[in-house]
Amino acid sequence: MAEATLADLAARLERVEHDLAIQQDIHQIRRIQYTYGFFIDKSQYNEVVDLFSDEGEVWFLGGIYKGKAGVRRLYIERFQTNFTQGHNGPRYGWLLDHPQLQMVIDVAPDRKTAHVRGRSMMQAGLHESAEGNQRAWWEGGLYENEYVREANDAGELVWKIKALRYFPFWHGTFADGWAKTPIDYIPMTKTLFPEDPLGPDALVDPLPRLWPATDTVPFHYPHPVTGAPIVLDNSRAREGFKD
């Protein structure tokens, strides 16, 4: 009887330790995702790249940038060159706030992988006294990301971004708002690398569409109460589009 009790206690302790480890994983993943937002805020693109696994990828405007080479192509060769003139850090008059919101984080039972659904609502633009094309806009989008737990350079197991899938939903100028946003205001990527030296390695299929399209991005998790898959009905999401 005592042996059975000890075995039960050992099993309970193992479950408690595992559940605690999962909660610690969730905390670390949230920390990394929030830090991603802080880095993007201040155009710290070198630091952004270091958040990714060597096999990581980014989905952006209909394109998929694969591996560290693709991630660098997007954040450093494209964003850093265009937004901060090659400088790793903020520049005068450049606003690019990326709040990270509504994070739903699910860690796999083996603690090797995780999925994250979240949101960003961006405020961005260039001040009228700064060099360049003065503008101000709002932007909102969803993430359906994957994380992987693997060794860093010191041999420690840490969480890294495996796939950052950003689905921009709506854009709007500060002056006019989102109600007057033209259809296909920001065109999706069509040309791949190396034909486009800054282009993605592959295209998202099907290509997403921006507001006033209202497609729902698929959920990585089931309905939290019923446990059933979350069924999407996007049949009316693009009624105003001609194609």
Side-chain angles (χ1 to χ4, degrees), residues 24-232:
Q24 292 173 332
D25 291 334
I26 290 172
H27 171 71
Q28 290 302 319
I29 290 167
R30 183 180 291 111
R31 184 185 185 95
I32 291 171
Q33 189 65 46
Y34 283 176
T35 300
Y36 169 85
F38 285 125
F39 285 160
I40 292 291
D41 288 349
K42 295 301 182 182
S43 300
Q44 294 176 264
Y45 298 115
N46 294 354
E47 288 79 5
V48 167
V49 171
D50 289 338
L51 295 174
F52 284 82
S53 164
D54 288 344
E55 305 301 320
E57 63 183 36
V58 183
W59 293 28
F60 179 73
L61 287 179
I64 305 174
Y65 297 78
K66 296 184 176 183
K68 273 295 181 69
V71 173
R72 288 192 184 97
R73 191 185 317 128
L74 178 63
Y75 287 106
I76 296 178
E77 296 176 33
R78 179 174 172 177
F79 292 165
Q80 191 176 89
T81 298
N82 292 338
F83 295 153
T84 57
Q85 301 165 325
H87 173 66
N88 186 56
R91 57 168 291 209
Y92 172 79
W94 174 236
L95 179 69
L96 198 64
D97 286 352
H98 274 70
Q100 304 292 289
L101 309 167
Q102 290 182 279
M103 294 295 160
V104 178
I105 303 171
D106 291 298
V107 177
D110 63 7
R111 300 182 57 222
K112 293 181 180 179
T113 60
H115 288 79
V116 177
R117 185 181 182 92
R119 181 187 300 277
S120 182
M121 194 177 79
M122 187 195 316
Q123 305 88 47
L126 192 66
H127 192 266
E128 62 181 2
S129 64
E131 178 184 347
N133 179 29
Q134 282 74 50
R135 53 186 177 137
W137 78 93
W138 299 92
E139 178 180 333
L142 290 177
Y143 300 101
E144 265 291 350
N145 297 346
E146 290 184 48
Y147 274 72
V148 62
R149 187 165 170 259
E150 59 185 28
N152 61 11
D153 291 341
E156 303 165 326
L157 286 176
V158 297
W159 286 98
K160 302 177 185 179
I161 302 173
K162 180 181 179 183
L164 187 134
R165 300 186 181 96
Y166 177 61
F167 297 89
F169 181 49
W170 56 270
H171 287 70
T173 66
F174 186 82
D176 294 330
W178 44 86
K180 298 182 180 181
T181 301
I183 290 178
D184 294 328
Y185 174 63
I186 304 293
M188 293 294 154
T189 302
K190 300 288 179 63
T191 307
L192 299 179
F193 177 84
E195 182 180 351
D196 177 356
L198 300 179
D201 299 284
L203 297 179
V204 176
D205 185 21
L207 281 175
R209 299 296 287 267
L210 295 174
W211 169 262
T214 57
D215 299 55
T216 302
V217 176
F219 291 77
H220 73 259
Y221 55 92
H223 190 289
V225 174
T226 68
I230 299 175
V231 178
L232 308 183

Side-chain angles (χ1 to χ4, degrees), residues 12-25 107-111:
R12 289 179 60 188
L13 178 59
E14 185 176 354
R15 288 195 299 270
V16 169
E17 289 178 338
H18 179 266
D19 291 346
L20 176 59
I22 292 286
Q23 293 304 313
Q24 292 173 332
D25 291 334
V107 177
D110 63 7
R111 300 182 57 222

